Amino acid sequence: MPRDNDPLAGGPRDAPDTPRERPLPHRARPPVPRPASPTRTGAAPLPAPHPERAGPPDPSGPPALRATAAPPSAPAAPLPVSAGEPSRGYRAVFAVREFRAVFAAHLLSLLGVVVSELALTVLVYDLTASPLLSALTFALGMLPYLVGGTLFSGIADRYPARRVLVTCDLICAGCVAVMVLPGTPVAGLLVLRCLVAAVSPVFTGTRMAALADILGEDDLYVLGRSLLRIVSQSALLAGFGVGGLLLAVVSPRGAITITVVTFLCSAALLRLGTRDRPARTGGGQGATLLRESLSGARLVLGNRRIRALLLLFWLPPVFVVAPEALAAPYAEEIGAGTVALGLLMCAMPVGQIAAELYVGAVLSPRTRSRLVLPVAAVGLLPFLLYGVSPGIVPIAAALVLAGAGSAYIIGLDQWFVEAVPDELRGRAMTLLTAGLMTLQGVGMALAGLAAGFFPVHQVVAGAGALGTLCLLLLVAEVRRTAPAHRIRTEVRDGADQHMTSG
């Protein structure tokens, strides 16, 4: 696995176990008008834009954003969606011009990353004949995420999103271009690999935060995030295949050269296809970037509700990566061949893509919200089948089911974007990405370490059992911290009554 709204009763703005929304005594929530009809005949005149996000509503944006804007005296609020209303579907997301540009740029950038990783690993092995350095080259794709996501997260809120995204793509293109030079030593290749990985969480976090500006905070945002995840899973499967074909006809440096073009095309799409919106913050009244990044991390992690939601993103992948990391040893343990190994590696992504398409296209926002906690709690149970080591076909079916369990993230996306205040959104999304990638790397390392002492099938089954126990405890914590809208207001006021010392 790689690694990224209904205010009525039962929607994700409420607690999953809270029957109805309670009014906030200290911050009135302005009424949000609905458009009179799809043609806006007789619609009320547009209020003035929010002073912090100046500029007219995007004419290419979703209807909810074109028809309404928040009054100057209150934070912008998305148009409510009926809890029982069916999903508007992915077609509505693609109707937004800016999202089409972001989607195409994401696809190009992701393919560039995957192909460059594969080609660089082969290049380092050709230069050194060292399996250790070759493996280290691949591992360096995860290690710098924590550093980049923590120390540079302030960039996502400090500067305009379009500028940050284009700059990140240009930095990656420049690093990859230097890798192509024949005189670049192996040490230089590894340093450049680390730099690209450190930039990645800033790029991803900024893009996730920008999606809320482009699509709003309601169902369209959730579906947009879902589409980017589906592309990520699909590009991983296709990217390694494309990379393998490229390496069969061109040299590793030639394959890396092609990825320079993908990064430059991504930068051009983002520059020309998205609006130039102002930064979310004014630079923290003279605070340095490092201080602003660390203070944002403290605010995000210090809030009990946001911390619980972050853990619900982070914790399952720690255990989910166990069967992926140990697929080759497991295939060897049961005497299966390379075809079976490929089946094991593809099973979970296939389950995730199929389930996410179904949940996003068919289920209503209210249903998605209700599925988050129960599905997250039982999503690792299919791994218990490894305990009896039944063979490839049952295990592949269990992996497909486990992949389908990750569809709970669609509803969780909505909870998270509503819980995080706008001025912290870029840093929170960057931190989310950094933690996700880092903890997946930790999970792979722990799975490999455990497999040195126990049979592989027992390690995967144990990961399923231990992960389920941890998730049951975390689900209880998420329930206790709801409702999300109260946390949002309290964080903005600097008086979070749900904050703990831990």
Side-chain angles (χ1 to χ4, degrees):
M1 298 174 65
R3 331 9 115 226
D4 103 30
N5 63 330
D6 179 15
L8 304 178
R13 185 179 293 275
D14 294 303
D17 53 349
T18 303
R20 61 172 55 89
E21 182 179 5
R22 298 181 178 86
L24 299 179
H26 58 287
R27 184 187 295 270
R29 302 183 63 192
V32 182
R34 288 182 181 271
S37 70
T39 60
R40 296 180 56 194
T41 302
L46 295 177
H50 190 279
E52 293 181 0
R53 312 292 294 169
D58 184 1
S60 68
L65 296 184
R66 296 199 301 266
T68 184
S73 58
L79 184 69
V81 178
S82 174
E85 180 181 317
S87 170
R88 282 179 276 181
Y90 293 112
R91 183 178 300 179
V93 183
F94 278 116
V96 182
R97 177 184 56 80
E98 284 190 86
F99 178 78
R100 294 197 298 270
V102 171
F103 181 86
H106 173 64
L107 179 59
L108 287 170
S109 180
L110 188 60
L111 285 173
V113 169
V114 173
V115 173
S116 64
E117 284 178 351
L118 181 60
L120 184 60
T121 301
V122 174
L123 176 61
V124 170
Y125 185 75
D126 288 345
L127 294 174
T128 64
S130 170
L132 175 61
L133 287 177
S134 179
L136 179 62
T137 304
F138 200 82
L140 287 175
M142 288 187 176
L143 297 179
Y145 262 76
L146 181 61
V147 176
T150 303
L151 301 185
F152 305 140
S153 63
I155 294 174
D157 291 320
R158 190 183 183 103
Y159 302 103
R162 187 176 72 176
R163 186 190 308 172
V164 173
L165 294 174
V166 172
T167 302
C168 287
D169 265 336
L170 293 178
I171 290 174
C172 291
C175 290
V176 174
V178 176
M179 292 178 187
V180 175
L181 299 177
T184 306
V186 173
L189 294 175
L190 298 181
V191 170
L192 292 168
R193 179 74 180 93
C194 286
L195 183 57
V196 171
V199 169
S200 295
V202 178
F203 179 89
T204 305
T206 304
R207 186 187 60 215
M208 289 167 62
L211 274 184
D213 295 328
I214 295 172
L215 299 174
E217 299 179 11
D218 64 349
D219 192 46
L220 287 186
Y221 170 81
V222 174
L223 295 178
R225 286 274 295 126
S226 172
L227 276 172
L228 295 186
R229 272 195 304 271
I230 291 171
V231 169
S232 296
Q233 289 286 357
S234 303
L236 275 179
L237 297 176
F240 286 120
V242 171
L245 291 175
L246 281 176
L247 291 174
V249 296
V250 299
S251 67
R253 292 188 191 276
I256 295 174
T257 302
I258 294 174
T259 66
V260 177
V261 179
T262 66
F263 284 122
L264 292 177
C265 290
S266 173
L269 282 169
L270 292 170
R271 175 63 180 82
L272 301 175
T274 60
R275 293 175 58 202
D276 186 16
R277 295 177 173 84
R280 297 179 183 279
T281 67
Q285 290 78 42
T288 64
L289 175 61
L290 178 60
R291 180 179 300 176
E292 194 171 345
S293 299
L294 294 178
S295 66
R298 283 195 297 269
L299 286 172
V300 170
L301 295 176
N303 180 274
R304 185 178 178 184
R305 171 67 176 180
I306 299 175
R307 185 172 63 244
L309 295 179
L310 278 173
L311 288 173
L312 199 54
F313 279 108
W314 289 345
L315 189 60
V318 175
F319 301 97
V320 164
V321 296
E324 292 182 326
L326 300 176
Y330 180 73
E332 182 180 357
E333 183 180 276
I334 63 175
T338 55
V339 174
L341 175 59
L343 182 63
L344 293 177
M345 293 297 292
C346 294
M348 266 201 293
V350 168
Q352 180 176 356
I353 292 171
E356 189 139 4
L357 283 172
Y358 175 80
V359 171
V362 176
L363 301 186
S364 68
R366 179 176 184 176
T367 303
R368 293 191 214 118
S369 178
R370 288 179 170 177
L371 288 177
V372 172
L373 297 183
V375 172
V378 302
L380 297 175
L381 289 180
F383 291 172
L384 297 181
L385 189 62
Y386 272 81
V388 296
S389 192
I392 288 295
V393 174
I395 288 298
L399 292 177
V400 170
L401 188 59
S406 65
Y408 79 92
I409 295 176
I410 297 184
L412 185 58
D413 277 335
Q414 186 63 55
W415 294 2
F416 191 71
V417 76
E418 291 176 346
V420 177
D422 182 71
E423 61 271 15
L424 280 176
R425 186 171 293 156
R427 282 167 285 182
M429 298 297 188
T430 303
L431 192 64
L432 166 61
T433 303
L436 189 62
M437 293 298 294
T438 301
L439 289 176
Q440 284 184 95
V442 171
M444 290 180 180
L446 292 176
L449 179 62
F453 298 92
F454 304 98
V456 173
H457 68 280
Q458 292 182 6
V459 172
V460 179
L466 179 60
T468 299
L469 176 61
C470 294
L471 282 170
L472 288 173
L473 298 175
L474 180 56
V475 163
E477 172 66 6
V478 173
R479 287 185 180 276
R480 284 193 293 267
T481 60
H485 66 80
R486 178 176 300 174
I487 302 300
R488 176 206 292 269
T489 303
E490 290 167 348
V491 170
R492 284 180 170 168
D493 291 344
D496 182 6
Q497 299 175 1
H498 292 271
M499 192 175 294
T500 65
S501 60

